[in-house]
Amino acid sequence: MDSSLSHDELHHITHEHGHDEEGNKMFGFIVFLLSESVIFLSFFAGYIVYKTTSPNWLPVGVEGLEVTAPAINTVVLVASSFVIYFAEVALKRNNIWGFRGFLLATMAMGSYFLLGQAIEWKSLEFGFTDGVYGGMFYLLTGFHGLHVFTGILLQLMIFVRSFIPHNYDTGHFGVNATSLFWHFVDVIWIVLFILIYIWQ
């Protein structure tokens, strides 16, 4: 009996092994995002407790936050989730230039969000040390901004790797994980926007 494997059988086994490995990596990445969610949830809980129990919640002389510009930034960031999804779809269809284009658009939208946040910070009348409110505001928005920046760096990495010939022929874990991270960042911001800007 011939125990040797044909080329097709060997390719099938290799493909199945790679698929299982990619699935394990994605499971580990989801666990990482869940741990990040716990950190954000603890921040949310702290914000709610302090807001509902502090007699003088806002710093002296501050009546509230301007909502229009942050709302525009929110729309841009949330819309970028759809754009990075289109990038994933383009890659699955082997449309590498479409993938790159949508990815560049996502990075641009994320950068626009960070720029808008920096402009807002510069215009605020309170700082990190101005009471519990000041500390919580900068901690929450700053920690989230760090995640947005990280997401842009991840997108830049998979963009650069798209120029390596046949780089994505064996799997799209990096792209899928980056996209999932970006969706996570967007969902977190929606919660933050409601807590900080809507619930004043």
Side-chain angles (χ1 to χ4, degrees):
M1 180 177 179
D2 187 7
S3 61
S4 63
L5 295 174
S6 69
H7 174 74
D8 290 341
E9 291 172 330
L10 185 61
H11 176 77
H12 177 73
I13 292 173
T14 304
H15 175 75
E16 288 298 320
H17 175 72
H19 181 73
D20 292 341
E21 184 178 353
E22 191 165 310
N24 291 336
K25 288 180 180 178
M26 184 56 71
F27 175 77
F29 190 74
I30 291 173
V31 171
F32 163 73
L33 289 183
L34 289 175
S35 67
E36 289 288 289
S37 299
V38 171
I39 296 174
F40 274 107
L41 285 173
S42 65
F43 287 161
F44 296 160
Y47 182 89
I48 293 170
V49 169
Y50 281 123
K51 179 175 173 56
T52 55
T53 58
S54 299
N56 299 313
W57 175 239
L58 294 175
V60 177
V62 177
E63 297 182 356
L65 296 170
E66 196 272 330
V67 179
T68 303
I72 295 173
N73 288 341
T74 299
V75 171
V76 171
L77 189 64
V78 172
S80 70
S81 262
F82 294 96
V83 179
I84 199 171
Y85 168 75
F86 293 144
E88 282 188 282
V89 172
L91 184 61
K92 289 176 182 177
R93 295 176 178 173
N94 295 318
N95 180 4
I96 194 67
W97 283 105
F99 168 71
R100 291 167 182 161
F102 284 122
L103 205 55
L104 283 174
T106 307
M107 287 188 281
M109 295 169 84
S111 299
Y112 177 90
F113 175 85
L114 287 181
L115 177 61
Q117 190 172 68
I119 293 173
E120 181 191 18
W121 278 16
K122 189 175 181 180
S123 66
L124 291 175
E125 300 175 350
F126 59 91
F128 184 79
T129 57
D130 289 329
V132 177
Y133 178 82
M136 292 296 293
F137 174 86
Y138 284 99
L139 174 64
L140 288 171
T141 57
F143 191 57
H144 176 266
L146 178 62
H147 282 71
V148 174
F149 181 71
T150 301
I152 294 172
L153 290 181
L154 291 174
Q155 292 168 39
L156 180 61
M157 288 174 59
I158 62 176
F159 175 80
V160 171
R161 290 182 66 85
S162 73
F163 289 93
I164 302 174
H166 309 294
N167 179 71
Y168 292 120
D169 288 354
T170 57
H172 301 159
F173 166 73
V175 175
N176 295 335
T178 298
S179 180
L180 184 61
F181 182 82
W182 196 249
H183 296 319
F184 167 79
V185 166
D186 287 358
V187 171
I188 291 296
W189 178 254
I190 292 173
V191 178
L192 279 177
F193 181 75
I194 293 172
L195 285 178
I196 296 176
Y197 296 94
I198 302 300
W199 185 37
Q200 292 196 53

